[in-house]
Amino acid sequence: MPGTTAIEAVGLRKSYGDLRVLDGIDLRVPRGTVFSLLGPNGAGKTTTVRVLATLTPPDGGRARVAGHDVVAERARVRRAISLTGQYAAVDDLQTGAENLRMMGRLSGLSRRDARRRATALLERFDLAHAADRPAGTYSGGMRRRLDLAAGLVGEPEVVFLDEPTTGLDPRSRQELWRVVRDLAEGGAAVFLTTQYLEEADRLADRVAVMDGGRVVAEGTAESLKSRVAGHRLDVVATDAAAYERLAAKAGTLTRAHAAPTADPGPRRSPESLTLGVPTDGGAPSVRALLDALDPDGTDVARFAVRTATLDDVFLALTGATTAKEPARA
């Protein structure tokens, strides 16, 4: 039922030798929602998915997926889930229809039911026109949709998508976004890991940010953005010397003019001579910041006030370096 818990994890821990990859992860994902897990490479995202999908046993803590314990009831969990990784796992020599019929038979469907399910999924994923073509002739976006369709043959309650749009062009990415929203609206829980922050912003009902094996923040995209900074004043310096002068002043000034945030420090981009300064977005605050940064009006070439993005959240809440996760199997 929509709203009931599809995934629940409490205190999940996982280490490889002396490397602690998960350090007490707590998560809860309701049915009928999209949950996105963000974090830099090595933060623990893929290991979290592997534990929840029963591919890797945890060292501690507990987790239930679709109502089943991931350790004691692995077979039941696997019957209730679908897992799609970064790379499409389809048979290039078989047609799209043959791929889906094969998955149906492996899932225990009769020949007739496997054929019906394949036809329905090809229509749903806009692949009917290519049903009889070898999958090896499909574009990247079509292969990704076919891979996702194959995972839905058994009508899973929980769908794990581990960076599913990696390498896709913008049009193919948007097509996959539509499919993800349709899955959630149909009652499935979608657990999405991604490094495309716009993707999480567009799709996720809730977002968790991981760093160093821990969840460092969780909430809606809007609540996380307001936690870091409601708005940001971006100033572009006239030259490198002006940028250094502006940067030297910014650290102390932002604390006086920014709204309360998790990270009130400036966002620096010396390559583009741009300095991002948190602000409450009000005209008095912006004017005061500009006057304090550039009282003579000679160092700032142009400026813009922007709403905070998940990029700001990511940069504020995650460290510059993290331990590297073991390679994917």
Side-chain angles (χ1 to χ4, degrees):
M1 295 178 60
T4 59
T5 301
I7 300 171
E8 184 176 24
V10 179
L12 283 185
R13 300 191 307 277
K14 183 66 183 180
S15 298
Y16 293 93
D18 295 332
L19 177 62
R20 179 167 291 184
V21 181
L22 300 182
D23 191 12
I25 299 296
D26 297 332
L27 295 172
R28 182 183 177 277
V29 181
R31 300 178 190 272
T33 64
V34 179
F35 181 91
S36 184
L37 194 59
L38 302 180
N41 288 333
K45 303 187 302 297
T46 293
T47 299
T48 300
V49 170
R50 291 181 63 83
V51 168
L52 295 175
T54 77
L55 298 177
T56 299
D59 296 334
R62 58 184 175 83
R64 297 181 70 82
V65 175
H68 308 298
D69 187 275
V70 299
V71 175
E73 301 173 286
R74 292 175 62 197
R76 290 188 174 186
V77 172
R78 291 184 176 187
R79 284 196 292 270
I81 68 172
S82 169
L83 172 61
T84 299
Q86 290 188 34
Y87 307 103
V90 299
D91 187 335
D92 287 345
L93 298 180
Q94 294 193 98
T95 67
E98 288 169 343
N99 267 280
L100 298 186
R101 290 199 296 267
M102 177 184 69
M103 291 302 299
R105 296 291 285 155
L106 291 174
S107 298
L109 299 180
S110 67
R111 288 184 182 277
R112 176 179 294 179
D113 288 343
R115 185 177 294 277
R116 287 176 177 172
R117 184 66 176 151
T119 299
L121 287 169
L122 288 165
E123 291 285 351
R124 179 179 181 181
F125 286 82
D126 194 24
L127 293 170
H129 65 286
D132 297 323
R133 283 171 42 194
T137 67
Y138 284 15
S139 68
M142 292 171 66
R143 286 169 56 83
R144 179 66 71 201
R145 297 203 304 276
L146 179 63
D147 189 30
L148 186 53
L152 299 180
V153 167
E155 299 185 89
E157 300 175 50
V158 179
V159 179
F160 291 100
L161 301 177
D162 190 15
E163 301 188 16
T165 58
T166 297
L168 295 187
D169 61 75
R171 184 181 298 277
S172 296
R173 186 174 298 135
Q174 289 189 11
E175 289 174 351
L176 194 60
W177 290 353
R178 174 184 56 78
V179 170
V180 170
R181 289 307 316 175
D182 287 347
L183 288 173
E185 290 170 4
V190 181
F191 191 101
L192 170 73
T193 74
T194 181
Q195 293 191 58
Y196 295 111
L197 303 184
E198 180 192 5
E199 189 161 271
D201 206 353
R202 290 276 296 271
L203 293 177
D205 298 291
R206 289 188 69 81
V207 176
V209 182
M210 285 191 72
D211 194 32
R214 297 182 179 182
V215 173
V216 296
E218 183 180 346
T220 64
E222 291 305 315
S223 69
L224 291 179
K225 285 185 267 187
S226 64
R227 170 178 171 174
V228 172
H231 295 81
R232 190 180 73 240
L233 173 67
D234 284 350
V235 296
V236 179
T238 53
D239 55 37
Y243 175 84
E244 293 300 328
R245 289 192 294 269
L246 293 170
K249 297 175 184 177
T252 55
L253 290 174
T254 52
R255 287 165 174 78
H257 298 279
T261 65
D263 176 24
R267 180 174 172 181
R268 303 169 188 269
S269 180
E271 300 83 3
S272 61
L273 301 179
T274 302
L275 201 65
V277 183
T279 174
D280 63 12
S285 176
V286 171
R287 280 196 297 266
L289 265 175
L290 286 170
D291 289 342
L293 284 169
D294 188 17
D296 298 326
T298 57
D299 287 346
V300 174
R302 58 186 182 275
F303 69 91
V305 178
R306 306 184 188 281
T307 302
T309 68
L310 281 184
D311 293 68
D312 299 298
V313 175
F314 189 93
L315 293 171
L317 299 179
T318 62
T321 59
T322 55
K324 186 177 182 181
E325 283 188 73
R328 294 179 175 83

